[in-house]
């Protein structure tokens, strides 16, 4: 089982996703600052994994705070929450996890906790619970989604919405593929390499190889060609934030895949836990899109690809309008259009 | 002026396109074998540039042949033509140029040339003429195409159909952009980086920077996003072979761009000289698509991107059906649907 992020008493342990697949190295991050930096630099990435890591980072530094009153602890805690909220703007699971930690603090106070140690204990417990729940919810999502995958299907996916994008184990889009496999179906995967960070070539290929699920890597611009050739039966991708109407922000290029899937009449599914649904945002237009460093596009590691001084765009995400989405597979079931109603039902449980 | 390929008395001189933009190095190739190898390895690439290089390579080794009769010369010449025809399968300009050289040989014989030196001279002259005609035809194509570009337009292009894809100077798709600029229009370019060989990031960006035409590089998977944002006014791409019905083979990913352009109601133009039109092939289904080495996808130079042993696809081209193409811009004018008639008129001139 792939362990993406783990709580240890010494700190938050995570696999350095920048080095995969050529190097499998684990980092031990000993403070909220270090976890926040790891999120910014994409040592850890993927909406659910960011949420879990953020909760653990906040719990870790709050636990280390040398204060004697709950009021002083809360001041430190707020500082850590604010620090985390500035790491990356698009994935709503980050803000959802921070909000859960804030709720846990409020609950501890409401329960009459006057001892600093007791509040700390409850915060660590909450972070661990977010971790456990993420693994469980992806198992549930995988079971629901697995039912939508025909036996013998070839599934195209974009980016990495696998174990490495979540707390570990199953993942979201790859959870659907694992769910199909665990239900006894044969399934093969085509992985878009997903420039610029190459999550598909590096991470999806790596984790599916480990699981012995057949995987073929293509460059992103081959997606149309393989669909035209009839090679793709289903598309499944993850999401970083889903608006109330079902518009879904996900890794740059997802929108392109959705347009191509519709052109070829291939069902396009989004797989994400309900913690990725943001009912406060009515449509995709309200989702903030992160612009990342130009160097991700102009270089691969130390290798320069384009001439010095050239202008580049580097939006990390795009938004796929709801009309391109055949269904949104969540941990509480499969939502279909009209999404405004179906997603609300899922979120409100 | 960018000089992609040049005839010299010592050999064929070409810029090594594998090293651009970080290194500007010229190779002097001293035989047909060396030119054939350069075409296979993509030292030189782009349909018209391949045609010009092939003609020069054949002329070069035929000129060096130590034979005393025209019959012996023809045997060597045929061997060089056959060697060239096995370098790359998709770009029809290669076969067109070889056929022109064969015609030149036949013509020399028909003219009663009995001296080996006279036949050699005529073959060298033919290769030089193919070179000159390519530059001229791209100037003409650029004038016709430039008229289709609105003042102030942002043009998205895929791969490199520029000076570096032709004998030099203007190029085809970039010839249209240069034609617009030389007609006094303001024009900006968005260049898809074009994995796996990165012709957009490396070559298109390099040559437009040299020409001071504003260029922004994006990863291929951003094309849909920038179109959805309304940033793109026109798409212009080159072609490696155009079937009689207007279906156009071009660099992998072109089909994806065409689907996205139609979705966003953006005109999609193909720019190519009539030597790229293959009237013998009725539709795109008949165009052979080259599958290249997996290493182009799994590595960038020495840097491994995906795990060892992973399966990859690497089709070098795809086919865009004629219904996606607003017009085909040739050196003899602008062809519009129905292409079966308009292309035949252009070719028959």
């Amino acid at each position: 089982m792939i362990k993406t992020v783990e709580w240890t008493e010494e700190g938050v342990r995570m696999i350095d996703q920048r080095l995969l697949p050529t190097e499998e190295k684990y980092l031990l991050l000993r403070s909220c600052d270090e976890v926040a930096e790891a999120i910014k630099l994409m040592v850890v990435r993927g909406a659910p994994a960011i949420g879990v890591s953020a909760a653990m980072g906040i719990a870790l530094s709050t636990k280390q705070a040398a204060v004697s009153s709950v009021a002083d602890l809360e001041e430190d805690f707020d500082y850590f929450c604010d620090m985390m909220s500035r790491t990356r703007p698009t994935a709503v699971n980050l803000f959802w996890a921070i909000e859960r930690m804030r709720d846990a603090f409020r609950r501890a106070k409401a329960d009459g906790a006057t001892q600093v140690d007791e509040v700390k204990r409850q915060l660590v417990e909450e972070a661990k619970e977010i971790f456990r729940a993420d693994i469980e919810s992806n198992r549930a999502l995988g079971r629901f989604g697995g039912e939508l995958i025909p036996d013998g299907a070839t599934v195209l996916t974009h980016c990495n919405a696998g174990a490495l994008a979540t707390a570990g184990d199953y993942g979201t889009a790859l959870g659907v593929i694992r769910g199909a496999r665990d239900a006894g179906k044969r399934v093969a995967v085509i992985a878009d390499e997903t420039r610029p960070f190459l999550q598909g070539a590096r991470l999806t290929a790596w984790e599916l190889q480990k699981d012995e699920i057949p995987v073929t890597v293509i460059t992103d611009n081959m997606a149309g060609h393989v669909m035209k050739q009839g090679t793709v039966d289903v598309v499944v991708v993850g999401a970083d934030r889903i608006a109330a109407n079902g518009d879904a922000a996900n890794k740059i290029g997802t929108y392109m895949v959705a347009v191509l899937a519709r052109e070829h009449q291939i069902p396009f599914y989004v797989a994400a836990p309900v913690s990725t649904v943001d009912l406060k945002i009515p449509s995709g237009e309200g989702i903030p899109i992160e612009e990342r460093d130009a160097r991700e596009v102009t270089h691969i590691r130390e290798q320069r690809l384009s001439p010095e001084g050239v202008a580049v765009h580097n939006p990390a995400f795009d938004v796929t309008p709801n009309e391109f989405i055949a269904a949104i597979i969540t941990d509480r079931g499969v939502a279909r259009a009209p999404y405004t109603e179906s997603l609300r039902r899922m979120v409100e449980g």
Side-chain angles (χ1 to χ4, degrees), chain A:
Chain A
M1 175 178 140
I2 294 165
K3 293 179 173 184
T4 307
V5 194
E6 278 181 293
W7 175 266
T8 77
E9 288 310 311
E10 291 72 44
V12 180
R13 186 173 180 270
M14 54 175 72
I15 190 164
D16 189 341
Q17 300 195 27
R18 297 169 304 177
L19 305 180
L20 287 172
T22 41
E23 205 179 327
E24 202 171 321
K25 184 179 166 187
Y26 290 83
L27 303 178
L28 185 65
L29 308 175
R30 293 171 184 278
S31 69
C32 187
D33 295 62
E34 287 186 16
V35 174
E37 199 62 16
I39 291 171
K40 275 188 215 164
L41 298 176
M42 297 173 72
V43 170
V44 64
R45 29 60 53 198
I50 290 171
V52 169
S53 302
M56 286 182 176
I58 291 165
L60 180 67
S61 274
T62 309
K63 176 176 156 245
Q64 294 161 344
V67 294
S68 51
S69 75
V70 170
D72 286 352
L73 188 70
E74 187 160 20
E75 209 169 291
D76 284 6
F77 170 81
D78 284 341
Y79 173 82
F80 300 133
C81 290
D82 291 347
M83 177 198 296
M84 265 317 163
S85 70
R86 286 188 302 270
T87 51
R88 297 195 66 191
T90 304
V92 76
N93 309 60
L94 172 71
F95 307 101
W96 170 89
I98 295 169
E99 207 41 58
R100 272 195 62 164
M101 294 302 283
R102 288 194 196 273
D103 280 347
F105 203 111
R106 281 191 282 267
R107 219 163 41 237
K109 282 201 303 185
D111 287 354
T114 51
Q115 298 298 307
V116 164
D117 285 352
E118 175 55 18
V119 178
K120 288 178 174 179
R121 193 192 62 74
Q122 291 190 29
L123 289 175
V124 170
E125 209 36 66
E126 185 69 8
K128 288 182 180 173
E129 176 53 28
I130 289 173
F131 169 88
R132 277 190 299 267
D134 185 62
I135 300 224
E136 263 174 43
S137 76
N138 292 328
R139 285 268 168 171
L141 185 161
R143 274 193 304 275
F144 290 125
E147 291 173 15
L148 300 177
I149 307 297
D151 185 30
T154 295
V155 181
L156 184 139
T157 189
H158 188 74
C159 195
N160 171 271
L164 290 167
T166 61
D169 179 42
Y170 234 52
T172 54
L174 299 192
V176 170
I177 287 158
R178 291 185 169 105
R181 189 237 1 228
D182 292 348
K185 294 173 182 170
R186 290 160 303 140
V187 59
V189 176
I190 294 178
D192 285 355
E193 67 172 5
T194 320
R195 281 277 294 147
F197 202 66
L198 295 164
Q199 291 93 335
R202 299 192 303 105
L203 310 179
T204 296
W206 179 80
E207 66 168 272
L208 291 177
Q209 254 192 350
K210 280 207 171 229
D211 258 18
E212 297 179 7
I213 294 173
V215 56
T216 301
V217 173
I218 61 172
T219 59
D220 301 312
N221 61 22
M222 292 174 193
H225 180 65
V226 296
M227 288 185 192
K228 186 152 154 273
Q229 291 190 310
T231 314
V232 179
D233 301 301
V234 178
V235 174
V236 187
V237 298
D240 290 80
R241 190 184 303 219
I242 300 171
N245 71 345
D247 293 352
N250 190 45
K251 181 52 52 196
I252 186 71
T254 302
Y255 170 61
M256 166 199 85
V257 175
V259 171
L260 292 168
R262 187 164 75 175
E263 173 71 24
H264 298 91
Q265 299 176 289
I266 296 166
F268 177 93
Y269 297 120
V270 171
V274 291
S275 54
T276 304
V277 179
D278 185 356
L279 294 180
K280 292 195 299 296
I281 290 190
S283 81
E285 283 169 39
I287 301 175
I289 300 294
E290 178 183 12
E291 179 84 18
R292 290 184 63 85
D293 191 352
R295 199 186 152 90
E296 289 182 356
V297 174
T298 57
H299 288 69
I300 287 189
R301 302 223 169 135
E302 296 312 306
Q303 180 71 53
R304 172 173 276 286
L305 307 180
S306 47
E308 269 184 62
V310 80
V312 306
H313 278 321
N314 189 15
F317 305 95
D318 59 26
V319 174
T320 299
N322 57 25
E323 66 260 33
F324 289 90
I325 303 171
I328 298 174
I329 304 161
T330 80
D331 46 337
R332 294 185 186 158
V334 175
R336 300 221 180 232
Y339 291 109
T340 308
E341 287 100 77
S342 61
L343 285 177
R344 181 169 298 279
R345 277 199 307 276
M346 294 286 164
V347 172
E348 290 173 354

